Amino acid sequence: MNPCRRAGTPARPSAVVTVLALVLLSLGAPLTGGAEAAEGPTAKVSRAEAGTGGTVTVTGARWRPRALLTLLICGQNMIGGTNSCANGDGRAVTVGADGTFTKKLPVSEPPKPCPCVIHIATVTGEAAAADVAFKVAGHPVAPLPKERSGGERLSVLSARLDGSSGLLTWFGAPPSRRLVVTVGNLGSTPARDPVFDVGTSHGVFAPSWEEQRWRGTIQPGKKAQVKLNVELSAGAHGDYLISLRYGSKLLVEQPWAVGRPWGVTLFWVLLCVVVAATVFRIGMAVVDKVRPRTARAAPPPPPSAPPSTGPAGANGARPALPWFTPDTAPEAPPHHQISAPSEEIRSTPKGTT
């Protein structure tokens, strides 16, 4: 049997802790979700609709501290830029140190029909903006116009070519650069993902164009830095002209002096030397193969005894001299020039004078 709890006994501590944990979790869940959802500047209005002559309170959070903001009521979702806003009835406000602001905005009819928005944007410093849907009571509503596209809306404020040539370019690789331009939108419509034409020309030849799409949006009255890749053909050198065109309007022309790829010249010189030397060696080998072979005379056997330097032998042969060949040995005097001793001289007795 379970013991009965007395009337004055307090509740179990485990049940109280469980209830408190559930309450804290339920309270902390929305706070966590809101913190994750809000990452940039936010704004909201006190009411979604008001008539002309009334006021609406605009509050914001997560803005840059001490930033100066403008508040405008704009028609057509501000597609036409500030030209579609009631600029004369706009207000300015300074953001507090905690990144929040509160400002009352008079309701007035914008020059363009609704759908309308309240546009909040920074005036100085880093650009930041937010739009809040708002309905002006009694103001006409019309479908949003189709956005126009035309090169006359964009203008180049500055341009340069970034990059350098490497070792491969010195040996004939295609030279490449990056065209960096600062483009401003002077029109009344935003430029979304504009397509530019990048042209390269050399000498008196007409430029060859290549389409390149830049991912991004340039709002009216704003500027953006656009980076486009430029690449020439392999082995290109000399003076080139890089052109940038949007639609039918030429925005900028940038000169580019491309150095000569001397590595290619060095390669061809070395190739010619190697080929010439190889052909010479092959030709000499062929000549050595096809020329006729002649029989070589066997060397004379070494003499077994030194040659005799005495008088000629009994057979009348000439003496062999070591420094004369048999063909160039001196001729012996004729036999008739050699006088033999007379008989008288040989027969003279001793003592006779």
Side-chain angles (χ1 to χ4, degrees):
M1 295 179 61
N2 296 330
C4 296
R5 186 165 55 94
R6 297 181 181 179
T9 306
R12 294 181 180 178
S14 59
V16 176
V17 171
T18 303
V19 173
L20 289 177
L22 292 175
V23 171
L24 291 176
L25 287 176
S26 61
L27 292 176
L31 295 176
T32 306
E36 293 178 353
E39 295 181 355
T42 60
K44 61 182 180 178
V45 293
S46 57
R47 45 183 176 168
E49 181 179 356
T52 304
T55 58
V56 61
T57 302
V58 184
T59 58
R62 291 184 168 273
W63 292 86
R64 189 175 69 252
R66 306 303 180 185
L68 180 62
L69 307 179
T70 58
L71 290 76
L72 299 172
I73 297 179
C74 306
Q76 292 184 340
N77 286 348
M78 202 186 169
I79 290 179
T82 55
N83 293 332
S84 60
C85 302
N87 298 314
D89 296 323
R91 292 293 184 266
V93 63
T94 302
V95 182
D98 57 350
T100 63
F101 72 90
T102 302
K103 186 68 176 179
K104 288 186 177 182
L105 179 66
V107 179
S108 59
E109 294 186 357
K112 300 292 183 180
C114 287
C116 300
V117 294
I118 295 179
H119 180 70
I120 305 100
T122 56
V123 178
T124 59
E126 185 180 355
D131 293 334
V132 182
F134 183 74
K135 184 177 180 181
V136 180
H139 193 64
V141 179
L144 296 177
K146 294 183 179 179
E147 296 182 8
R148 304 186 308 269
S149 61
E152 68 278 2
R153 297 186 298 109
L154 298 183
S155 178
V156 173
L157 305 179
S158 63
R160 70 177 187 274
L161 285 174
D162 285 349
S164 60
S165 300
L167 182 61
L168 295 180
T169 305
W170 198 70
F171 280 96
S176 61
R177 292 291 188 274
R178 176 171 290 183
L179 180 62
V180 181
V181 293
T182 302
V183 179
N185 187 357
L186 305 180
S188 59
T189 58
R192 291 186 173 88
D193 297 338
V195 178
F196 295 93
D197 294 329
V198 180
T200 56
S201 60
H202 181 55
V204 297
F205 297 99
S208 57
W209 300 97
E210 178 187 0
E211 289 187 354
Q212 294 192 30
R213 181 180 295 275
W214 180 75
R215 299 292 181 180
T217 302
I218 308 176
Q219 296 293 341
K222 302 296 182 179
K223 61 182 180 180
Q225 189 178 71
V226 178
K227 298 181 180 180
L228 304 172
N229 294 325
V230 182
E231 184 174 307
L232 303 179
S233 58
H237 63 276
D239 295 329
Y240 282 81
L241 189 65
I242 309 302
S243 305
L244 182 65
R245 185 177 66 182
Y246 182 70
S248 59
K249 181 181 178 181
L250 183 64
L251 299 180
V252 70
E253 290 181 342
Q254 189 74 11
W256 181 11
V258 184
R260 182 182 294 273
W262 291 108
V264 178
T265 305
L266 178 62
F267 169 78
W268 284 112
V269 170
L270 294 178
L271 182 63
C272 291
V273 172
V274 171
V275 170
T278 304
V279 171
F280 177 76
R281 293 178 63 88
I282 293 175
M284 294 302 296
V286 172
V287 170
D288 187 64
K289 284 285 186 182
V290 301
R291 70 176 180 177
R293 302 289 182 179
T294 57
R296 297 181 180 179
S304 58
S308 175
T309 58
N315 55 358
R318 288 173 295 192
L321 302 178
W323 58 87
F324 292 110
T325 60
D327 295 337
T328 60
E331 295 290 340
H335 293 285
H336 61 83
Q337 292 182 1
I338 300 176
S339 59
S342 60
E343 293 295 336
E344 290 79 9
I345 296 176
R346 290 199 299 267
S347 62
T348 301
K350 296 180 180 180
T352 304
T353 56

